[in-house]
Amino acid sequence: MEGKFKRILYGGDYNPNQWPREIWDEDMRIFRDARINSATVNVFSWARLQPSEETYDFEQLDDIVDMLSREDDDIVLATSTASLPAWMVKNYPEVARTDYEGRQHKFGQRHNACPNSPIYRKYAEALASRLAERYGSNPHVTCWHVNNEYGGECYCEHCEKAFRVWLRKKYGTLEALNAAWNMEFWGHTVYDWDEIVLPNALSEGIGTGKTAFAGISIDYRRFMSDSILANFTMERDAIRRYDKETPITTNLMGTYKGLDYFKWAKEMDIVSWDNYPRYDTPWSYTALRNDLMRGLKDAPFMLMEQTPSQQNWQQYNSLKRPGQMRAQSYQTLARGADTIQFFQLRRSKGACEKFHGAVIVHAGTEDTRVFREVKQLGTELEKLGNATLGAVNEAEVGIVFDWDNYWALEYTSGPSEDLTYVDQIQQYYQFFYDRNIAVHMIPCDADFGRYKMVVAPVLYMVKEGVKEALERYVEQGGVLVTTYMSGIVDQSDNVYLGGYPGPLRTLAGVWVEEIDALSPKQSNEVIFQDGTKASCGLLCELMHLEGAECLARYGQDFYRDMPAVTKNRYGDGTTYYIGTRMEEGLEKILESAVSDSQVKPVLEGTDGLEAVCRKKDGCSFYFVINFQDKALPVPPALAGHMDMLTGETVKAGDMLAKYDVRIVRVEDSASQE
Amino acid sequence: MEGKFKRILYGGDYNPNQWPREIWDEDMRIFRDARINSATVNVFSWARLQPSEETYDFEQLDDIVDMLSREDDDIVLATSTASLPAWMVKNYPEVARTDYEGRQHKFGQRHNACPNSPIYRKYAEALASRLAERYGSNPHVTCWHVNNEYGGECYCEHCEKAFRVWLRKKYGTLEALNAAWNMEFWGHTVYDWDEIVLPNALSEGIGTGKTAFAGISIDYRRFMSDSILANFTMERDAIRRYDKETPITTNLMGTYKGLDYFKWAKEMDIVSWDNYPRYDTPWSYTALRNDLMRGLKDAPFMLMEQTPSQQNWQQYNSLKRPGQMRAQSYQTLARGADTIQFFQLRRSKGACEKFHGAVIVHAGTEDTRVFREVKQLGTELEKLGNATLGAVNEAEVGIVFDWDNYWALEYTSGPSEDLTYVDQIQQYYQFFYDRNIAVHMIPCDADFGRYKMVVAPVLYMVKEGVKEALERYVEQGGVLVTTYMSGIVDQSDNVYLGGYPGPLRTLAGVWVEEIDALSPKQSNEVIFQDGTKASCGLLCELMHLEGAECLARYGQDFYRDMPAVTKNRYGDGTTYYIGTRMEEGLEKILESAVSDSQVKPVLEGTDGLEAVCRKKDGCSFYFVINFQDKALPVPPALAGHMDMLTGETVKAGDMLAKYDVRIVRVEDSASQE
Amino acid sequence: MEGKFKRILYGGDYNPNQWPREIWDEDMRIFRDARINSATVNVFSWARLQPSEETYDFEQLDDIVDMLSREDDDIVLATSTASLPAWMVKNYPEVARTDYEGRQHKFGQRHNACPNSPIYRKYAEALASRLAERYGSNPHVTCWHVNNEYGGECYCEHCEKAFRVWLRKKYGTLEALNAAWNMEFWGHTVYDWDEIVLPNALSEGIGTGKTAFAGISIDYRRFMSDSILANFTMERDAIRRYDKETPITTNLMGTYKGLDYFKWAKEMDIVSWDNYPRYDTPWSYTALRNDLMRGLKDAPFMLMEQTPSQQNWQQYNSLKRPGQMRAQSYQTLARGADTIQFFQLRRSKGACEKFHGAVIVHAGTEDTRVFREVKQLGTELEKLGNATLGAVNEAEVGIVFDWDNYWALEYTSGPSEDLTYVDQIQQYYQFFYDRNIAVHMIPCDADFGRYKMVVAPVLYMVKEGVKEALERYVEQGGVLVTTYMSGIVDQSDNVYLGGYPGPLRTLAGVWVEEIDALSPKQSNEVIFQDGTKASCGLLCELMHLEGAECLARYGQDFYRDMPAVTKNRYGDGTTYYIGTRMEEGLEKILESAVSDSQVKPVLEGTDGLEAVCRKKDGCSFYFVINFQDKALPVPPALAGHMDMLTGETVKAGDMLAKYDVRIVRVEDSASQE
């Protein structure tokens, strides 16, 4: 298996257009010094490329591309359509978005185009075409980067009309639409497509995150995700008319809520993303997001952006500690990245990102801690070469992540305002992370059969086919773990009647009669069969066994002694149902499931370390990283094998300092004793 | 005395229109099982009844009414005007409201009609007329339910014009209006009625709850309450043209701020309300609200809505504990309800209330805890029969609750942002609640002479006639309790000059020279004549005695030793003036007032229990409920009398478990001997 | 040196127009009783003076002016243009502002005119002209008070067009503008002046306080400050056409962010301001604001407004304690005031300020604590006479306060959201306040040579000429103290490249390589050369010495042992650079700087007291105030000199009670021997 690139791209966003020509040469010298081999250019240059409706000017971009080509750099060429030129907003106010409050915006900021504006679409496509025509045949153009960090939403009249078209296509008839949205409730029945209005603060929206009708609001999210995706595919197709081969991407943003990335990934040649943890973000959070980005296409991805030192837009933009950027880079590489790219190579001198870290800081010198760390990493990556390029990450566990569920669960009014989606997923992910059990983040329509264990927390919405797929999976020996607030609604947010967890009831062997909500000041506890207790809260489901075995019961309140956690045989497999948010003790349940499914960690003896394996050409590459505050021993199993970064053989008892890394190559015949 | 109904209505909101026909028969069977004898229908069906501007379709409603009539159910027939049909908003955008921010809304949600829209009024009246014409003669239609939970506000041009008409009628001349609003301040004098604009975020509004000119803002609230009331009376009158007798109501919402319910109640045949405590709402809060609803007409009322188990729209929608719904129902019955109705009978499968509790849950089965509790209560009510129907609640204490004061006090800028209205009333109510002293919640223009004691906390605005009425009351032997921030302004929020508490100064025998505001971090203390101390805060008034006796003095700060609480003889009566918010020790003062007025509790020996008495036909019905966490003995005075729920004789020493209830019938000759 | 007035004005806002004629005579009697000698009138009377577009009516104002003239009162005559008449908003909606959200407002509140509205400007100028023509020759008119508390902002089309004109004047070409705003970033280049839109929530604004492009947003603030200033100068010039001499002012508001008061002061004859501390505002805060107001023109100023007792618009409007108003008044006088004026003389009976304290309260009597204190102060001021009138405050220390920095620093995105401007200045001011070292608050373009020590905290933006002026200052022996986040950007918020602190690097002798941001939960510490430690946080700059001496190093984290505080010789002077926010230990550094510069306190032996000196005609007037909770001895150096308030000689060992004051006159030959 090979990746999309000939080498690990090491570079990042580069905006020479912001600088006088004499700086450029200095940049080239410094990049070489740092072993930077790639640059992402032209991300925000529409106003320069097209200074008016009739004129285009590629002179400066030609210079930039020529220069980078001479340097033999890999060019990630952006299309510049993520920020409207001022003239376009002035001439065609419709290109600017109308916000959730119903206010049409004026010129300003970025990511500001209405995705359904014909004018925007016309000119964005034209620009992408011209760029592809001009630069598509340049062999140094290694990747196309369409737009930038797609996101946001628009509530203008163009979008309203496009929404109606989208709905007509989805539902065919108003009868079907009224039924799907349960419009008989509150007498919302529509008799004409034109009666449908976008769900915002002036119509169905409640506050900024809730809605009176989840049906229309979820459909609006799907529609908006599709609308913006259509912007992407439009540019992609325009590029493809001139460049048949170069991979095309756009940079995603981890667990960003607004876009259904699994659907998007199908249209992208390679996934890329921007990784911006806060100063206090746990490493397991970035791990999940890396795994999710890899999972989108189940393939290696690009790290399009990270900061070499600090962000500027968070509350407290602390510096990355010495070694932290390197460790973060290897974490990303370990989990599937084939590139390490920074935002940005040279720090802007003005506007809102001027305090965002960069390879070359305002001082303009290489004599900085940050530069030295960038150069060290560059040197190491050069040494690492293409060994891991395109290598795969295998996993025996799949964790379901689904944007429809994300939207639906968080739109729902009740039982608790504190029920957020990603936090629930993260809690389950954490268990596997702590044990270095490799995980794939998978969509609802994944091939579950590939996994020994499938974890689907808060699988609130069970879409068409999912029930059957899960039943088939468990029947054939799979181990399924699911939780409270699962199996409740169909794709339109209509409840499956007949008793929760609806389509999962047979699988789980339980009936959930009631769902209690606890305030943060309240808690309950579960008591395991061995008598140990663990605190729980948020939601407590009142369950009845329908064939399942009870693993733990509630310890308090009127539902004391009712089952809280169950396990059910179904065919050759097992379903675990966890009816409450475990604040403690989740490991007892999941360890049992791991045991049932015979899932193994990546390596033994990795206590406290993060250990990840990528495989390629009959070799396993073990990435071992120490994120703890104290030194830890290298896993014994790696002794005798070569550390790719030093070329030295790992010895038993070798210690890893904080933030230190080993990438150990093990021939497959030799791996795991 | 008799009530409005022939039996206790037991039922609630029922929306068979949301379900296929086959479910209906199942519903009928389940209702019978639960002893449900009533259903509230047609609450949100405008779009179905009138699918377009020209057409009406009553076919489904005919079916529903026929079915319920066959079941001999009491039908509470709603008029469906609380949610606009989509076609109407599309054809006539003016029917939708313009919000406080000045944004006209589009189709969505409910309670969304501009009350002054001619189009809305035309079609709402037409619908009510047609319904009355069609169903008014059906003997099973036991009650008309106009609209639903009236509330909200509109700031559109129609309302602006109607406001000017309303003002012209109230003030006659601009001179009078300018004087009333003190428009010389900041040079706001208006010279033309058309210069008056609605007070919202774009004009006089400050934040969402304050205003630069309380005069216009209070008048706007009165106007908006009147405007919406005119919607109600319009439908009521339309119904009366076809149905001369059936009582007409609309469901109110306790201490909802937006509408002057005392004014509304005059236009309603019977008051009904929706009772939705939070998981942590004290029982005294629901008690006050029940008493207030009864007080609106000084008559029995309907409990139009409560949930059998949980709400969906609160932060944490916990389940009602076993017995809690029953106890809440009896609390409501005790305090004057002649109906117990749920929202709702069958749980919706979609849209924002799908997680709201119902008699029949999504599982669709009777085999649920919730259903069993509903059925138990139904069985008990059947047994109770009509014994308490229409029975009266007597009280020797009146507590003043006044919407003008509510609005004016909370609009006022200074002395403290924390000075809220209902919280102050609740604190005084609590004293009587804790002692089972029956209370009537009364308006400013009540006949005070009916009460031994009148409590008027924060009687900030003293409207025309109130001074005289209170003076007459006290002169003739009444005991009046009033507090800080009383007697300050007239109906237009202009201060009574000459010294606080203005018109109450003679009555209270004190002059309040200054009003100190304390932050939540600060406190003072009062020292009673017996030397005991009690903490106080929020506001501390600096008083001088003008004939009153000092009951307690401040213990700290520069006004140490100044009077904090006083008592004044006036004619044959007494006025207590409490110049600060007592955080402790309020009972010392109120016990003294109770002693002066010889007010008695409903029953002796009720420590910890809630005890309420309703009287009818020479009998007293004592409702005794235990809301404590431990069992408590039944009051000894009830021994030897019959418990209506069990038919058994109460014995001395009988214990009441948590949430348990007794309804004990005592012949008047025997009671309180 | 003499002041602008013949006596200390003692009075305040007076609105007889709100009251019937009979009250006026009573007012005059009470004012005389209180030794009130001045009244500020006509602040909000536009609607009365000009009841329609064509008519003016000065009859009532004539009466008021005549009455006050008869009383020989000093009249501060306002122009009434701070609140639009209702008819003007109705006839010309454009006169009302459009807010940050883009919403055009309707009639309401005050300070509501668009400063660029031609209609508003036409009628405001006309009114000022007519007033000046009518009353300018009245010798009792002692001061003109234009408008009131100028502030706010407008985002209407008139302002947008005016902004473009302002920009064209400033930048000349779009090339220059694009460069200044760094518009190549995000491709924001504008090719036509009309493409520029105002930076609000619909364009470049982020939240309410941040921006995507600081360049345009800072320029907008400058433009808006200038636009409103042009309203002031327009009225001022109109008055000057009829009245050549009477001083013209408008009341400022301390550290109010919206207007560049140093620029404003150049156009004002005398500065006046409104002093409204909260119940918990430290006295050092009001001291700084008084010093700032004096510093604006480096001249005595007017205290235009303070409350005799309480405010109404704060969260908790507590009463001023006995003696507190007097102490606050003397603090103001000490720091340069030549007037003591209240808002207001008689308390309004209606509208939003009715609970604002006044000399005559709603009771309408003089028999109040507040009145007695006002009268006591009036009697004392009468006794004090003109001794201090026009006296100067000298200082050896200048602290830089600069509105451009205020705006720029708080617009900046990163490194920390908690980095506010005034709080940093206040921290440095506090040191001098605590030691009674006199300070001048000075602008960036001050004559630094006047000071032994210049303190410039967070001198983030270094405007043209400032680098050179500071270098000259230090070279010639000055002592400069500056801090973290200094020397970063030029006037357009573009970073000085080459290494922080940019233009201050040579002066400071350090290079700041990185800036770490700490959350409130984090801290570091500095270790001084003597081994003592002190906590620090917010920002920690990582510095390298370039000639400077290290005074303290960081004690923790990876930059442990790097310099945190430095001192650098430059020419004959010294620069201190403090690279972190010191939560403790700042006094160690500043004491060293004080020692270097030989700066002296106003008096020795003032521990715990506030001591301020004003000088005039060869005399020093020492104001000594006790703001502590315990009595403190009068400074020994004042023994034997006369207390102006009592006429008695101060004795060694005399004690000052809480809030007590001495004003001691010392002949210059005798002072500080």
Side-chain angles (χ1 to χ4, degrees), chain A residues 416-419 517-524 535-539 583, chain B residues 278-280 315-317:
Chain A
S416 169
E417 274 192 13
D418 292 354
L419 183 63
L518 280 68
S519 87
K521 294 177 193 154
Q522 300 173 312
S523 67
N524 204 317
S535 172
C536 66
L538 186 65
L539 297 179
E583 299 303 347
Chain B
R278 287 166 31 132
Y279 75 97
D280 56 357
Q315 269 191 297
Y316 309 109
N317 300 281

Side-chain angles (χ1 to χ4, degrees), chain B residues 101 160 181-192 194-195 197 201-206 211-214 412-418 460 485 488-489 493-495 497-500 511 513-520 522 542 557-559, chain C residues 17-19 44-48 50-51 60 83-87 90 99 103-110 279 309-310 312-322 347-355 361-365 367-370 372:
Chain B
E101 314 282 322
E160 195 155 83
W181 293 354
N182 199 37
M183 296 289 255
E184 187 72 26
F185 180 81
W186 288 358
H188 274 217
T189 308
V190 291
Y191 294 105
D192 187 322
D194 288 353
E195 288 166 24
V197 299
L202 306 181
S203 52
E204 298 292 10
I206 297 176
T211 175
F213 279 74
T412 280
S413 173
S416 169
E417 273 193 13
D418 292 354
Y460 169 70
M485 282 304 273
I488 311 280
V489 298
D493 204 56
N494 284 315
V495 172
L497 300 176
Y500 316 134
W511 167 43
E513 183 184 335
E514 300 184 73
I515 307 175
D516 197 20
L518 281 67
S519 86
Q522 300 174 313
L542 280 57
D557 218 318
F558 76 91
Y559 41 90
Chain C
N17 51 308
Q18 292 177 20
W19 301 95
F44 289 108
S45 299
W46 198 343
R48 177 172 283 268
Q50 188 180 5
Q60 192 191 48
S83 179
L84 294 165
W87 61 258
K90 172 169 166 276
D99 66 18
R103 305 173 303 190
Q104 183 168 36
H105 281 232
K106 301 165 87 177
F107 175 64
Q109 308 203 31
R110 59 175 179 167
Y279 75 97
S309 55
Q310 67 195 146
N312 72 288
W313 46 270
Q314 296 172 343
Q315 270 192 296
Y316 308 109
N317 300 281
S318 55
L319 300 171
K320 285 184 176 167
R321 270 47 201 159
R347 205 163 181 165
S348 304
K349 71 173 188 177
C352 68
E353 291 184 339
K354 68 180 184 292
F355 286 123
V361 298
H362 289 140
T365 168
D367 185 19
T368 66
R369 177 182 74 92
V370 167
R372 283 185 293 273

Side-chain angles (χ1 to χ4, degrees), chain A residues 366-660:
Chain A
E366 296 156 83
D367 184 19
T368 65
R369 175 182 76 92
V370 167
F371 183 83
R372 283 186 292 273
E373 296 196 26
V374 169
K375 176 175 174 176
Q376 181 196 339
L377 180 60
T379 309
E380 289 180 4
L381 292 177
E382 206 174 59
K383 180 153 194 157
L384 182 61
N386 294 350
T388 64
L389 205 66
V392 302
N393 292 66
E394 295 178 348
E396 298 175 325
V397 177
I399 298 182
V400 175
F401 193 100
D402 178 58
W403 268 265
D404 282 314
N405 263 289
Y406 196 166
W407 299 330
L409 188 78
E410 298 194 349
Y411 271 135
T412 280
S413 173
S416 169
E417 274 192 13
D418 292 354
L419 183 63
T420 49
Y421 185 69
V422 179
D423 292 336
Q424 313 311 317
I425 306 294
Q426 185 73 47
Q427 192 194 22
Y428 281 76
Y429 181 89
Q430 187 75 37
F431 168 85
F432 301 98
Y433 176 83
D434 288 342
R435 284 155 189 76
N436 289 311
I437 296 174
V439 157
H440 279 183
M441 302 303 296
I442 58 174
C444 276
D445 60 355
D447 174 7
F448 300 133
R450 286 177 57 191
Y451 303 99
K452 291 186 176 169
M453 187 171 167
V454 167
V455 184
V458 289
L459 192 65
Y460 169 70
M461 176 183 285
V462 176
K463 291 180 281 192
E464 214 175 302
V466 172
K467 168 191 155 80
E468 295 72 17
L470 286 173
E471 288 184 346
R472 204 176 318 119
Y473 165 67
V474 179
E475 193 163 50
Q476 295 172 1
V479 173
L480 171 68
V481 177
T482 187
T483 73
Y484 52 94
M485 282 303 274
S486 291
I488 311 279
V489 298
D490 67 14
Q491 76 87 28
S492 299
D493 204 56
N494 284 315
V495 171
Y496 286 110
L497 300 176
Y500 316 135
L504 308 180
R505 188 169 171 182
T506 314
L507 259 177
V510 297
W511 167 44
V512 174
E513 183 184 337
E514 299 184 75
I515 307 174
D516 198 19
L518 280 68
S519 87
K521 294 177 193 154
Q522 300 173 312
S523 67
N524 204 317
E525 63 181 8
V526 307
I527 306 179
F528 290 98
Q529 287 165 316
D530 62 7
T532 57
K533 298 178 177 184
S535 172
C536 66
L538 186 65
L539 297 179
C540 290
E541 294 191 339
L542 280 56
M543 292 196 270
H544 302 277
L545 301 179
E546 295 185 334
E549 170 191 357
C550 176
L551 300 185
R553 296 177 179 277
Y554 290 109
Q556 297 170 5
D557 217 319
F558 75 91
Y559 41 89
R560 177 178 174 160
D561 292 335
M562 288 186 80
V565 183
T566 63
K567 173 178 175 176
N568 190 48
R569 292 293 302 171
Y570 181 87
D572 294 338
T574 308
T575 302
Y576 286 79
Y577 189 92
I578 303 170
T580 180
R581 181 172 167 102
M582 308 287 293
E583 299 303 347
E584 303 166 347
L586 183 59
E587 68 280 5
K588 284 183 78 101
I589 307 159
L590 294 179
E591 272 161 9
S592 166
V594 161
S595 166
D596 288 355
S597 57
Q598 302 189 305
V599 163
K600 292 273 178 289
V602 159
L603 265 182
E604 298 296 331
T606 60
D607 263 23
L609 298 170
E610 181 170 327
V612 183
C613 179
R614 292 185 72 174
K615 297 195 177 190
K616 178 178 164 186
D617 301 339
C619 287
S620 289
F621 298 91
Y622 290 96
F623 291 72
V624 183
I625 316 176
N626 182 3
F627 288 120
Q628 308 300 319
D629 281 329
K630 57 169 193 262
L632 291 170
V634 171
L638 299 181
H641 298 283
M642 190 186 70
D643 176 2
M644 307 284 293
L645 297 179
T646 59
E648 295 176 7
T649 301
V650 173
K651 288 195 291 287
D654 275 2
M655 297 298 282
L656 267 175
K658 177 166 193 186
Y659 288 147
D660 209 355

Side-chain angles (χ1 to χ4, degrees), chain B residues 100-101 153 155 199-201 205-211 217 221 257 410-411:
Chain B
Y100 184 77
E101 314 282 322
E153 49 200 29
Y155 295 89
N200 68 4
I206 297 176
T208 54
K210 295 293 184 184
T211 175
S217 292
R221 282 207 177 268
K257 187 173 177 181
E410 298 194 348
Y411 270 135

Side-chain angles (χ1 to χ4, degrees), chain C residues 34 38 44 69 117 121 182 199 301 383 408 455 512 520 536 644 668:
Chain C
S38 164
F44 289 108
S69 299
S117 156
R121 292 178 53 90
N182 199 37
F301 60 90
K383 182 153 192 156
V455 184
V512 173
C536 66
M644 307 282 294
D668 271 7

Side-chain angles (χ1 to χ4, degrees), chain C residues 146-393:
Chain C
V146 171
N147 206 282
N148 184 67
E149 292 183 347
Y150 275 116
E153 50 199 29
C154 181
Y155 295 91
C156 75
E157 289 188 19
H158 280 298
C159 286
E160 195 153 85
K161 284 171 184 146
F163 186 43
R164 292 170 188 151
V165 172
W166 185 95
L167 291 169
R168 197 188 283 257
K169 189 169 170 195
K170 173 168 183 176
Y171 291 107
T173 67
L174 281 170
E175 288 67 33
L177 176 142
N178 280 317
W181 293 352
N182 199 37
M183 296 289 256
E184 188 72 26
F185 180 82
W186 287 357
H188 274 217
T189 308
V190 291
Y191 294 106
D192 187 321
W193 294 96
D194 289 352
E195 288 166 23
I196 299 166
V197 298
L198 295 173
N200 67 5
L202 306 181
S203 52
E204 298 292 11
I206 298 176
T208 54
K210 296 292 184 187
T211 175
F213 280 74
I216 184 172
S217 292
I218 295 167
D219 271 341
Y220 169 77
R221 282 205 176 269
R222 290 168 176 147
F223 156 74
M224 190 48 55
S225 177
D226 286 356
S227 294
I228 299 176
L229 179 54
N231 287 176
F232 171 79
T233 55
M234 172 189 73
E235 290 197 41
R236 181 202 61 189
D237 295 347
I239 292 167
R240 274 286 166 268
R241 283 194 286 276
Y242 298 96
D243 177 350
K244 301 300 180 199
E245 289 186 6
T246 309
I248 302 176
T249 191
T250 183
N251 48 345
L252 309 182
M253 297 178 287
T255 54
Y256 174 72
K257 188 174 178 181
L259 304 175
D260 181 350
Y261 282 161
F262 275 112
K263 194 166 182 185
W264 274 62
K266 291 189 172 74
E267 307 295 337
M268 296 165 67
D269 295 326
I270 183 168
V271 163
S272 63
W273 84 291
D274 301 346
N275 185 13
Y276 289 114
R278 287 167 31 133
Y279 75 97
D280 56 356
T281 304
W283 288 97
S284 58
Y285 278 54
T286 47
L288 180 150
R289 283 149 185 81
N290 274 306
D291 284 354
L292 178 61
M293 293 298 99
R294 185 188 68 244
L296 293 180
K297 291 190 81 73
D298 190 17
F301 60 90
M302 301 170 74
L303 174 69
M304 184 69 88
E305 293 184 20
Q306 70 175 353
T307 177
S309 55
Q310 67 195 146
Q311 279 88 228
N312 72 288
W313 46 270
Q314 296 172 343
Q315 270 192 296
Y316 308 109
N317 300 281
S318 55
L319 300 171
K320 285 184 176 167
R321 270 47 201 159
Q324 186 178 354
M325 180 278 290
R326 176 174 175 260
Q328 183 181 317
S329 299
Y330 283 121
Q331 185 194 42
T332 314
L333 211 63
R335 294 183 179 275
D338 277 355
T339 76
I340 298 294
Q341 296 162 274
F342 297 106
F343 182 85
Q344 59 183 340
L345 298 188
R346 186 179 274 276
R347 205 163 181 165
S348 304
K349 71 173 188 177
C352 68
E353 291 184 339
K354 68 180 184 292
F355 286 123
H356 196 289
V359 171
I360 307 172
V361 298
H362 289 140
T365 168
E366 295 156 84
D367 185 19
T368 66
R369 177 182 74 92
V370 167
F371 183 82
R372 283 185 293 273
E373 297 196 25
V374 168
K375 177 175 172 176
Q376 182 196 341
L377 180 60
T379 309
E380 290 179 4
L381 292 178
E382 207 174 56
K383 182 153 192 156
L384 182 62
N386 294 350
T388 65
L389 205 67
V392 303
N393 292 65

Side-chain angles (χ1 to χ4, degrees), chain B residues 90 132 138 194 341 353 368 462 543 585:
Chain B
K90 173 169 166 277
N138 181 330
D194 288 353
Q341 296 163 275
E353 291 184 338
T368 65
V462 176
M543 292 196 268

